[in-house]
């Protein structure tokens, strides 16, 4: 029997609503630093990923404006036709230089770049071994590639080794988030690099929440772990988080990156990002890798330490994380929503993250800290979290 898509959508919506799973977009009317005006109220934003505040940095904004005056607002064509501009080329070189890797290749977003890497490198007969908590784009990429997708328990390098040993034929990619987006903890990269090396697999690290934040000069988690392109031949760098822009690059060994430029469909059949956006991203890279970036990272670390100390003193059960992502596990979806609503009433914007973004029964408040938060912001957030504890539907 033919199924009506409209009826199906309607009944799924009703189910979602009953299960407290309906997602709601909020419209930000204005922003001022870490404050955002939503539905007529100014809230302290504790849920964004612009960890260093670079999205509003005067030099980044000026690069975007000047770039648009010079190159226009659009991308004009794909990179392989006529869309590859000097600003794109300059950004790829700046990224390779900063991250001490041979090559960088731009993509429209991190989501697309992950699809590109997996679809471009793997196919039938190959294996992609992944941490169970990896970002959705890595899971989707493996499905698109048509390879065997094997997931191991979170941060379990032994589990990764067993999966690789079970697939000795074909090529293998070991893919992991560097910093896990909903948990804030770090992948055991040194052990994973050993495992990948022992099994002839390529280690691919998603640096979305690490680049700009961790490592010397903000080079990310591979650098922080004392590793380089030899151990992790490919990494994803996204521009939409600590770099305050939008877009992404795959960075690493020339032979792999150049192959992606030839064959990766999510990079080929799409319009290039506007050159002005590339110019803005390059300005952000220059800040992130320099003394101003160091100062912002120090502020961010101080905020993380202040928040964790205060939470401990109040008996708030934070998850183990030393990154700007500081989740507070709640459990039930409805309780996470109720706590987020109670925080909003007190002027704090914290996201309630529910399944399927996180595993069933592990709904949480995903608190993110920012270099632009002040001591009073952190202290106020702690008081509010303490007060809304136990709020329920
Ligand atoms: C945000 C994110 C992405 C996607 O990057 P976009 O540029 O936002 O598409 C990929 N991986 C991880 C771990 C992320 O957190």
């Amino acid at each position: 029997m033919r199924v009506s898509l409209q009826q199906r959508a309607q009944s799924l919506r009703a189910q979602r609503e009953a299960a407290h799973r309906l997602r709601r977009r909020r419209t930000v009317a204005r922003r001022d630093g870490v404050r955002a005006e939503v539905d007529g109220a100014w809230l302290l934003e504790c849920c964004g990923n612009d960890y260093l505040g670079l999205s509003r940095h005067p030099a980044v904004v000026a690069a975007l404006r000047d770039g648009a005056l010079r190159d226009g607002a659009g991308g004009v064509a794909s990179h392989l036709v006529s869309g590859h501009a000097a600003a794109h080329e300059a950004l790829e070189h700046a990224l390779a230089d900063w991250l001490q890797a041979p090559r960088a290749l731009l993509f429209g977003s991190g989501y697309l770049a992950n699809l590109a890497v997996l679809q471009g490198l793997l196919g039938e007969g190959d294996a992609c071994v992944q941490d169970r908590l990896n970002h959705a784009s890595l899971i989707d990429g493996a499905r698109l590639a048509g390879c065997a997708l094997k997931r191991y328990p979170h941060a379990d390098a032994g589990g990764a080794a067993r999966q690789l040993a079970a697939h000795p034929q074909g090529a293998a990619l070991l893919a992991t988030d560097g910093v896990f987006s909903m948990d804030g903890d770090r992948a055991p990269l040194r052990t994973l690099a050993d495992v990948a090396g022992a099994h002839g697999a390529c280690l691919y690290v998603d640096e979305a929440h690490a680049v700009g934040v961790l490592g010397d000069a903000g080079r990310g988690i591979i650098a922080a772990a004392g590793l380089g392109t030899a151990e992790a031949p490919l990494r994803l760098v996204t521009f939409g988080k600590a770099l305050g822009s939008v877009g992404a690059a795959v960075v690493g060994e020339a032979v792999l990156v150049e192959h992606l430029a030839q064959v990766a469909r999510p990079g080929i059949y799409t319009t290039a990002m506007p050159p002005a956006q590339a110019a803005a991203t390059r300005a952000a890279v220059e800040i992130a890798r320099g003394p101003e970036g160091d100062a912002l990272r120090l502020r961010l670390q101080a905020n993380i330490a202040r928040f964790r100390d205060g939470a401990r003193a109040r008996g708030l059960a934070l998850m183990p994380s030393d990154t700007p992502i500081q989740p507070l596990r709640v459990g039930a979806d409805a309780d996470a929503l109720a706590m987020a609503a109670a925080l909003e009433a007190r002027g704090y914007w914290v996201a309630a993250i529910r399944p399927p973004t996180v595993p069933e029964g592990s709904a949480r408040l995903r608190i993110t800290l920012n270099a632009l938060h002040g001591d009073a912001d952190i202290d106020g957030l702690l008081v509010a979290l303490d007060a809304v504890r136990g709020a329920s539907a």
Side-chain angles (χ1 to χ4, degrees), residues 109-111 114 135 137 177 179 181 206 208-209 236 238 240-241 247-248:
S109 74
Y111 186 91
N114 274 341
H135 192 260
S137 53
D177 281 17
V179 169
S181 55
D206 182 332
H209 294 280
L236 170 73
T238 65
K241 283 147 188 165

Side-chain angles (χ1 to χ4, degrees), residues 84-288:
H84 190 65
H88 297 123
E89 185 70 16
L91 174 57
E92 289 184 348
H93 285 288
L95 289 165
D97 182 62
W98 178 32
L99 302 173
Q100 303 172 330
R103 279 279 272 128
L105 181 68
L106 298 184
F107 289 90
S109 74
Y111 186 91
L112 287 173
N114 274 341
L115 296 190
V117 167
L118 301 198
Q119 179 264 328
L121 295 177
L122 301 173
E124 218 185 306
D126 298 333
C128 187
V129 172
Q130 300 206 16
D131 190 291
R132 189 158 276 292
L133 296 188
N134 272 356
H135 192 260
S137 53
L138 287 166
I139 308 300
D140 295 356
R143 292 194 178 128
L144 185 63
C147 61
L149 167 60
K150 294 292 167 189
R151 300 169 83 177
Y152 56 86
H154 180 49
D156 178 3
R162 280 189 292 280
Q163 293 287 14
L164 286 168
H167 287 80
Q169 307 294 326
L173 192 84
L174 171 48
T176 184
D177 281 17
V179 169
F180 288 85
S181 55
M182 297 300 138
D183 296 69
D185 59 338
R186 306 183 189 209
L189 279 195
R190 295 185 69 92
T191 327
L192 289 173
D194 289 343
V195 165
H199 291 270
C202 176
L203 179 61
Y204 176 50
V205 181
D206 182 332
E207 292 260 17
H209 294 280
V211 79
V213 174
L214 300 180
D216 183 39
R219 286 193 181 94
I221 193 167
I222 293 173
L227 303 174
T229 306
E231 297 84 8
L234 279 182
R235 73 188 83 176
L236 170 73
V237 176
T238 65
F239 308 155
K241 283 147 188 165
L243 293 173
S245 178
V246 68
V250 175
V251 180
E253 271 182 18
V255 63
L256 295 176
V257 174
E258 277 158 22
H259 178 73
L260 293 176
Q262 294 294 322
V263 305
R265 299 167 66 89
I268 295 174
Y269 298 104
T270 190
T271 303
M273 74 170 70
Q277 198 69 50
T281 306
R282 186 153 72 95
V285 166
E286 294 312 319
I287 296 162

